């Protein structure tokens, strides 16, 4: 089954304790992305990756790191989490559109609910 | 920078009626995509419909259709014959722009009244 998986689905942690949220897709998509969703703010892009070893900042990258060592995996790392990073996080992947040479519709993971105390 | 604006935080519609959700965006690009995503209470993000900016014809998917006005930078979603299962948060999204980012609006919560 084609899917994007995220782990963990729920996480409660404390300020300053490093954590990693994993994301994996089995569709051989080039483009992968992380978003955070907060009430009244919609989804905001944190980081995205066009392909292996190619990553770039989205609109809210502060406090986050990513890596793309393999095409299927795109982990999100919070080196020193703070309470303002409490949010719902989504990973997504997209195929390239052969006509436009650009990412197309996104396939989303189920989300990770993170609480930082 | 590109922006996406959904001016209706919440809307309600009677079951079986038609409702239109509005979305406007700002960009200097000529080639891009526009999307509507649905987020039901399960929080799963589901693609409803997409539109390529180079296509003049409005996209349709069963009961869902869009009114794409490129010059006005408007991309509204029309839901016909509304059903209880259509109740959800709907997000308009633009991208990728020249910087390959994807931009989402803040969402419109749609209530379906039985």
């Amino acid at each position: 089954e084609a899917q994007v998986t995220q782990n963990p689905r729920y996480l409660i942690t404390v300020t300053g304790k490093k954590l990693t949220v994993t994301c994996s897709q089995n569709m051989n998509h080039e483009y992968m992305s992380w978003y955070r969703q907060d009430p009244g703010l919609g989804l905001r892009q944190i980081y995205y990756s066009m392909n292996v070893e190619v990553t770039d900042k989205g609109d809210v990258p502060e406090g986050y790191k990513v890596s793309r060592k393999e095409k299927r995996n795109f982990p999100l790392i919070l080196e020193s989490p703070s309470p303002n990073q409490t949010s719902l996080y989504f990973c997504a992947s997209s195929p390239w559109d052969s006509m436009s040479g650009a990412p197309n519709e996104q396939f989303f993971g189920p989300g990770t609910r993170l609480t930082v105390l | 920078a590109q922006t996406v604006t959904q001016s209706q935080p919440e809307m309600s519609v009677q079951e079986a009626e038609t409702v239109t959700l509005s979305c406007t965006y700002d960009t200097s690009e000529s080639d891009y995509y526009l999307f509507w995503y649905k987020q039901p209470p399960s929080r799963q993000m589901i693609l409803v419909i997409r539109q390529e900016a180079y296509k003049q014809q409005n996209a349709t998917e069963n009961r869902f259709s869009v009114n794409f006005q490129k010059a006005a930078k408007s991309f509204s979603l029309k839901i016909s014959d509304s059903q209880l299962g259509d109740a959800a948060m709907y997000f308009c999204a633009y991208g990728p722009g020249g910087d390959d980012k994807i931009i989402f609006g803040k969402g419109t919560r749609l209530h379906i009244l039985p």
Side-chain angles (χ1 to χ4, degrees):
Chain A
E1 180 190 356
Q3 60 183 345
V4 178
T5 57
Q6 292 179 230
N7 283 292
R9 295 287 310 279
Y10 301 90
L11 179 60
I12 300 174
T13 189
V14 296
T15 299
K17 187 176 180 181
K18 181 179 178 180
L19 66 92
T20 299
V21 184
T22 64
C23 173
S24 184
Q25 51 97 1
N26 62 1
M27 295 168 281
N28 201 35
H29 288 167
E30 289 81 5
Y31 190 95
M32 295 187 74
S33 186
W34 275 104
Y35 298 89
R36 60 177 291 173
Q37 181 179 4
D38 302 289
L41 297 178
L43 278 78
R44 294 179 292 168
Q45 195 172 38
I46 303 170
Y47 269 95
Y48 60 96
S49 170
M50 304 285 281
N51 215 322
V52 175
E53 302 292 359
V54 181
T55 63
D56 214 337
K57 296 177 180 179
D59 286 333
V60 288
E62 294 77 20
Y64 304 95
K65 285 175 59 176
V66 293
S67 68
R68 187 93 181 270
K69 293 183 170 58
E70 303 165 285
K71 196 172 185 179
R72 63 184 293 127
N73 296 324
F74 190 46
L76 179 70
I77 303 156
L78 284 72
E79 295 269 5
S80 182
S82 62
N84 64 14
Q85 292 178 298
T86 293
S87 187
L88 177 61
Y89 291 86
F90 285 100
C91 180
S93 71
S94 306
W96 284 102
D97 185 293
S98 58
M99 288 281 290
S100 66
N104 205 328
E105 69 176 273
Q106 297 189 84
F107 294 79
F108 284 83
T112 295
R113 170 68 72 184
L114 172 65
T115 302
V116 183
L117 301 174
Chain B
Q2 295 92 353
T3 59
V4 175
T5 301
Q6 293 180 247
S7 58
Q8 306 146 317
E10 282 194 73
M11 293 188 72
S12 296
V13 63
Q14 209 74 35
E15 193 176 4
E17 296 293 309
T18 295
V19 63
T20 298
L21 281 58
S22 66
C23 173
T24 58
Y25 59 95
D26 188 26
T27 184
S28 57
E29 304 286 336
S30 57
D31 283 335
Y32 48 87
Y33 287 89
L34 294 162
F35 306 91
W36 280 99
Y37 286 92
K38 171 185 178 181
Q39 187 181 46
S42 66
R43 299 200 181 278
Q44 181 65 46
M45 294 288 288
I46 303 164
L47 178 71
V48 174
I49 201 165
R50 73 175 191 192
Q51 174 81 43
E52 293 91 333
Y54 64 85
K55 289 186 177 179
Q56 292 187 336
Q57 187 173 5
N58 289 326
T60 62
E61 286 288 343
N62 301 315
R63 296 183 295 107
F64 299 87
S65 62
V66 299
N67 183 5
F68 173 48
Q69 303 286 331
K70 190 173 184 179
K73 297 178 183 174
S74 171
F75 183 60
S76 60
L77 175 69
K78 186 171 83 171
I79 306 173
S80 304
D81 185 25
S82 298
Q83 300 175 0
L84 294 176
D86 295 333
M89 182 74 87
Y90 286 82
F91 292 101
C92 179
Y94 160 96
D99 55 6
D100 295 312
K101 291 181 180 178
I102 309 289
I103 310 295
F104 280 78
K106 294 182 179 181
T108 296
R109 184 169 299 283
L110 178 64
H111 303 279
I112 309 296
L113 307 173

